[in-house]
Amino acid sequence: LDICTAATAGSRADDAGTARESEILQEAIVLTGLFSVDHPENQASIGSWTLQGEGVSVLNRLANLPVVFFMDESLKAILFPTLISAIFNNTVNRDNLAEEMSLEPLASFLTQMKEKKEFDGIFGRFPQDKIDEAIEFINQAEE
């Protein structure tokens, strides 16, 4: 995550190397979501693994990706399902993520997906039948 993020942060969008690193970063985000969905042990590892001994977990790294991942709709569709999968029914991860960012955008993302009945972006990384439960779980942290 760090290598791709650093490489893409200060480069031109048309740079072929940067495009490759951006694709790798997006794939790493998707794979992290697939790794954590409906798997409490993997969720725990995402919330506790530290990278390069810095004491920052994978979940914290995801929460601190460049702002474009939180603003651009296509990148939100990559990041948000992974964040939701990493925190769903895991109060430790949810509360840690809530310290890094507001969880309201995650609940809003799920609500929009549900209202539009557009589940393509979350299939595989979050079960469609648990969207209401996830919204409620996320909103509990906001209370």
Side-chain angles (χ1 to χ4, degrees), residues 19-32:
R20 224 177 3 260
E21 287 154 345
S22 179
E23 288 176 25
I24 292 168
L25 175 59
Q26 292 173 30
E27 289 298 320
I29 293 168
V30 169
L31 289 172
T32 302

Side-chain angles (χ1 to χ4, degrees), residues 88-89 126 129-138 140:
F88 180 60
N89 284 337
F126 196 78
D129 63 334
K130 293 185 180 178
I131 289 178
D132 288 328
E133 188 180 345
I135 293 168
E136 183 178 329
F137 180 75
I138 290 168
Q140 289 172 356

Side-chain angles (χ1 to χ4, degrees), residues 106-141:
L106 299 179
S108 293
F109 175 82
L110 286 172
T111 300
Q112 289 172 359
M113 298 290 281
K114 180 182 169 187
E115 289 172 356
K116 294 179 182 178
K117 297 185 188 307
E118 294 178 4
F119 303 106
D120 294 341
I122 60 173
F123 277 140
R125 286 184 288 155
F126 196 78
Q128 179 181 343
D129 63 334
K130 293 185 180 178
I131 289 178
D132 288 328
E133 188 180 345
I135 293 168
E136 183 178 329
F137 180 75
I138 290 168
N139 287 335
Q140 289 172 356

Side-chain angles (χ1 to χ4, degrees), residues 52-101:
Q52 302 170 350
E54 294 180 20
V56 179
S57 71
V58 172
L59 185 60
N60 293 110
R61 299 282 185 188
L62 291 170
N64 288 290
L65 285 171
V67 70
V68 69
F69 279 91
F70 299 88
M71 304 299 289
D72 181 274
E73 293 301 319
S74 64
L75 294 175
K76 283 198 299 190
I78 292 169
L79 177 61
F80 283 17
T82 293
L83 291 175
I84 294 162
S85 294
I87 68 169
F88 180 60
N89 284 337
N90 184 313
T91 55
V92 172
N93 282 2
R94 182 197 61 200
D95 295 347
N96 286 341
L97 186 61
E99 290 178 14
E100 295 288 330
M101 61 179 274

